[in-house]
Amino acid sequence: MGAGHGHGHAGARHRWRLAASFALIGSFFVVELAYGLISGSLALMSDAGHMAADVVTLGAALVATRIATRPDATGRRSYGSYRAEVFASLLAVIVMLGVSLYVVAEAVGRIGRPAEVSSGPMLVVGAVGLVVNLVALLLLRAGAAESLNVKGAYLEVVADTAGSIGVIVAGWLIMATGQTFWDTVVALVIGVFVAVRAISLGRQVFAVLGQHVPEGMDAGAVAQDLAAINGVRDVHDLHLWTLTSGMNVATAHLVTIDQNDSHAILDQARDLLLRRHGVAHATLQVEPANHTGCDELGW
């Protein structure tokens, strides 16, 4: 029994936030890249790299939300294209890791080889970048709690905000001490920070792609609640997973005491899964107690 496909999903609801952030950050990226080249600052260049990653991530997230809402005309995608948003989150992870590895490698390569760095442009561009990132964070924050796709973009901007703060700190330290190695130190810290955030998001993405039980959901508790429905004798073949953010899916076999109660049992089970466990789509098979055959499955 399906719960229907007509419900909305979190990514689509927050598309406008992605679009506004994409326009804002994309515009500033060009400015930061130019000043990074002019100043010779690795910290500023690393922040520009993060900005580039933001542009790619936000663009992919926007495209994914559009693809996810397209109706399937082929008849081959029985779940639609909702997973496009999860793959966009995976791209965000790859881009973040790539940027962090590049920055760390460049920072290590500069050790013992001080570079000429202009602290003035660093401070100015870092401050403007911080404002741009804070605005983008405010736009994306609400959607990050609901959509893994938006969360990927949000974490990218969080990392970039840290980068902007790092640029300001590096510029101030260089100006105060006259030592340009602070630029390398800050760039190294930023690179490690971004890598940690990317790994955290990556674990969530692979949990979805691996069809793990949704975060915060207890499969044992779901089975117990279904078994407690009046007329249900046993529950087996219970599977719980996430299709995309905000769309949890379940399948289960319900063994009944009285086959005549199947309609009421289906209604109660569907309502329980939706209201108590947040499962929007449930496929439930009702079986009489004397039914055999389910134990023949070899996996």
Side-chain angles (χ1 to χ4, degrees):
M1 175 181 173
H5 299 274
H7 53 81
H9 64 292
R13 290 197 299 272
H14 299 288
R15 184 183 294 121
W16 70 271
R17 299 178 186 276
L18 291 167
S21 300
F22 177 78
L24 189 65
I25 290 177
S27 299
F28 183 73
F29 161 68
V30 178
V31 176
E32 186 166 41
L33 179 62
Y35 275 94
L37 293 170
I38 292 171
S39 67
S41 166
L42 180 59
L44 196 55
M45 285 296 291
S46 71
D47 197 41
H50 296 157
M51 280 282 188
D54 289 349
V55 173
V56 172
T57 303
L58 288 166
L62 272 172
V63 171
T65 55
R66 179 64 65 184
I67 293 173
T69 56
R70 278 185 192 165
D72 176 38
T74 67
R76 298 180 59 83
R77 301 185 183 94
S78 61
Y79 276 114
S81 300
Y82 291 119
R83 277 283 166 89
E85 296 187 33
V86 182
F87 286 112
S89 301
L90 180 60
L91 176 62
V93 172
I94 294 171
V95 171
M96 289 170 73
L97 285 175
V99 170
S100 64
L101 288 173
Y102 171 77
V103 170
V104 169
E106 284 293 308
V108 171
R110 279 195 179 188
I111 294 176
R113 296 187 298 108
E116 290 294 326
V117 179
S118 301
S119 59
M122 287 178 65
L123 288 170
V124 174
V125 177
V128 176
L130 179 60
V131 173
V132 169
N133 283 313
L134 288 175
V135 173
L137 280 179
L138 290 174
L139 286 169
L140 296 172
R141 184 176 180 180
E146 298 181 20
S147 167
L148 192 62
N149 189 33
V150 178
K151 185 174 183 178
Y154 177 78
L155 288 179
E156 257 293 338
V157 180
V158 167
D160 202 31
T161 302
S164 295
I165 294 173
V167 168
I168 295 171
V169 170
W172 180 82
L173 287 172
I174 292 171
M175 186 175 290
T177 66
Q179 300 295 322
T180 59
F181 75 86
W182 287 112
D183 178 65
T184 302
V185 171
V186 170
L188 188 60
V189 171
I190 293 171
V192 173
F193 173 78
V194 173
V196 171
R197 304 293 284 190
I199 292 170
S200 175
L201 177 62
R203 292 178 63 185
Q204 292 180 289
V205 170
F206 282 112
V208 173
L209 294 178
Q211 294 185 303
H212 296 182
V213 173
E215 186 176 358
M217 190 180 295
D218 185 341
V222 174
Q224 288 180 2
D225 288 344
L226 288 172
I229 294 174
N230 187 34
V232 174
R233 179 176 178 176
D234 185 32
V235 177
H236 60 260
D237 283 354
L238 173 64
H239 300 280
L240 302 160
W241 70 98
T242 297
L243 184 60
T244 190
S245 301
M247 294 177 67
N248 295 329
V249 184
T251 62
H253 291 194
L254 308 178
V255 180
T256 62
I257 299 171
D258 184 353
Q259 181 66 12
N260 294 327
D261 294 332
S262 61
H263 292 293
I265 289 171
L266 282 172
D267 289 341
Q268 291 178 59
R270 175 183 173 181
D271 185 68
L272 181 150
L273 288 170
L274 179 61
R275 295 183 182 278
R276 190 174 298 180
H277 298 287
V279 175
H281 184 114
T283 302
L284 304 173
Q285 178 172 311
V286 178
E287 306 168 358
N290 61 356
H291 174 74
T292 61
C294 290
D295 56 350
E296 296 176 359
L297 188 63
W299 53 272

